[in-house]
């Protein structure tokens, strides 16, 4: 896609990035509340109560948790979350199918782990390779406080045992879907995040999604360029 940087989606993404030096001067758009619709006489169909089962109990239990104990989380639990979110679960010819849906099976998202307290894993920044189901260390050291600062100083981010950061390689999707591709990329991120959040709930871990961050600062922590690949979303995870 030679015209990636001319696409509406790419330009929208760049123009809506938070930058530390610009944020205090942002003026919110003056968008009024939605207008209440006049209630017309309509037929009402009351639905049968859903039969409660293990899955619905899991969905009901999911809540965003922002208080984490200063304790290690087992590497096997991190592995479980990564598989639930973006593991390879099957194949269809050339395509590797994953646990989350993706438009055209193109899977433009990438997952990184910023580890602070994970058993048998040194603190650092890691790239998740789904096909080989492995982590590749990109940076050594504890970057959790840097990440919290980059997330508008939300302290719980730095107190999590680890953060899973979702990015997107825009061309993977937009080479096929063009301007509309950004919609699908964001949907992909939502699918992945919900899988991870439900898996964390199943394991008894606390987790919280984070979308407020200074884009370039998180990109720098991951060592991605913010143009071909950029941060989309974060998930803070720990014992609560």
């Amino acid at each position: 896609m030679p015209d990636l940087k001319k696409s509406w989606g790419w330009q929208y993404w760049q123009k809506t990035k938070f930058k530390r030096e610009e944020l205090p001067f942002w003026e919110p758009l003056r968008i009024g509340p939605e207008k209440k619709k006049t209630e017309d006489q309509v037929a009402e169909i009351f639905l049968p109560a859903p039969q409660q089962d293990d899955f619905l109990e899991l969905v009901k239990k999911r809540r965003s948790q922002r208080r984490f104990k200063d304790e290690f989380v087992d590497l096997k639990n991190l592995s479980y979350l990564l598989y639930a979110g973006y593991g390879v679960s099957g194949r269809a010819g050339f395509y590797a199918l994953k646990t989350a849906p993706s438009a055209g099976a193109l899977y433009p998202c990438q997952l990184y782990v910023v580890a602070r307290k994970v058993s048998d894993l040194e603190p650092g920044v890691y790239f998740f390779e789904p096909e080989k189901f492995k982590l590749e260390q990109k940076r050594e050291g504890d970057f959790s406080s840097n990440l919290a600062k980059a997330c508008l100083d939300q302290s719980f981010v730095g107190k999590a045992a680890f953060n899973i950061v979702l990015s997107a390689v825009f061309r993977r999707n937009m080479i096929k879907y063009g301007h509309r591709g950004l919609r699908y990329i964001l949907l992909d991120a939502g699918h992945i995040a919900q899988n991870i959040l439900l898996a964390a709930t199943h394991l008894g871990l606390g987790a919280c999604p984070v979308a407020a961050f200074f884009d370039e600062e998180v990109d720098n922590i991951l060592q991605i360029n913010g143009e071909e690949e950029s941060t989309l979303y974060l998930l803070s995870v720990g014992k609560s």
Side-chain angles (χ1 to χ4, degrees):
M1 187 182 184
D3 292 332
L4 173 68
K5 295 183 181 180
K6 295 180 181 178
S7 71
W8 302 328
W10 189 90
Q11 292 180 42
Y12 168 82
W13 192 258
Q14 301 302 320
K15 290 180 183 294
T16 54
K17 286 183 174 180
F18 278 167
K19 296 184 178 180
R20 191 175 290 274
E21 65 276 12
E22 296 176 1
L23 189 59
F25 307 104
W26 270 40
E27 289 192 18
L29 295 174
R30 299 184 181 279
I31 299 174
E34 64 174 313
K35 294 180 180 179
K36 299 287 186 180
K37 291 191 286 188
T38 304
E39 293 295 331
D40 298 322
Q41 192 68 29
V42 295
E44 295 181 328
I45 296 90
F46 292 95
L47 298 171
Q51 183 175 351
Q52 297 301 301
D53 57 17
D54 291 344
F55 178 72
L56 287 186
E57 284 301 316
L58 181 65
V59 172
K60 285 166 61 177
K61 285 170 61 179
R62 191 220 59 79
R63 293 290 184 273
S64 295
Q65 302 289 342
R66 295 177 177 83
R67 293 184 179 180
F68 301 118
K69 296 176 181 177
D70 191 26
E71 297 179 7
F72 280 83
V73 171
D74 288 341
L75 180 60
K76 65 181 181 181
N77 287 343
L78 170 58
S79 173
Y80 188 96
L81 297 190
L82 291 172
Y83 181 80
Y86 217 42
V88 175
S89 57
R91 293 193 174 272
F94 174 78
Y95 296 100
L97 305 178
K98 297 178 182 172
T99 49
S102 178
L106 297 174
Y107 298 104
C109 291
Q110 306 213 111
L111 272 59
Y112 296 81
V113 177
V114 180
R116 184 176 79 92
K117 282 199 165 185
V118 180
S119 63
D120 301 316
L121 189 68
E122 292 296 321
V125 179
Y126 297 84
F127 173 71
F128 173 53
E129 220 301 338
E131 297 249 0
K132 297 180 180 178
F133 203 63
K134 68 177 185 179
L135 293 174
E136 299 173 355
Q137 188 178 59
K138 295 194 67 178
R139 304 182 73 179
E140 295 181 8
D142 184 355
F143 289 88
S144 55
S145 61
N146 306 67
L147 190 61
K149 184 178 180 182
C151 291
L152 280 63
D153 296 301
Q154 297 180 81
S155 60
F156 71 88
V157 173
K159 294 177 181 177
F162 60 88
N163 287 270
I164 297 175
V165 186
L166 281 64
S167 73
V169 178
F170 297 106
R171 287 180 192 271
R172 287 184 192 167
N173 176 287
M174 296 174 74
I175 195 170
K176 179 176 181 179
Y177 294 114
H179 296 300
R180 194 172 178 86
L182 182 63
R183 292 193 187 202
Y184 304 148
I185 290 170
L186 299 179
L187 291 172
D188 278 20
H191 301 320
I192 297 164
Q194 182 70 342
N195 278 9
I196 293 172
L197 293 169
L198 290 175
T201 302
H202 173 69
L203 294 176
L205 297 171
C208 183
V210 180
F213 50 84
F214 296 110
D215 299 65
E216 291 179 1
E217 295 182 21
V218 180
D219 290 345
N220 287 339
I221 291 170
L222 303 182
Q223 296 185 325
I224 59 179
N225 65 20
E227 294 195 347
E228 291 292 324
E229 180 182 358
S230 190
T231 303
L232 297 177
Y233 209 11
L234 291 89
L235 300 162
S236 299
V237 183
K239 292 185 178 180
S240 60

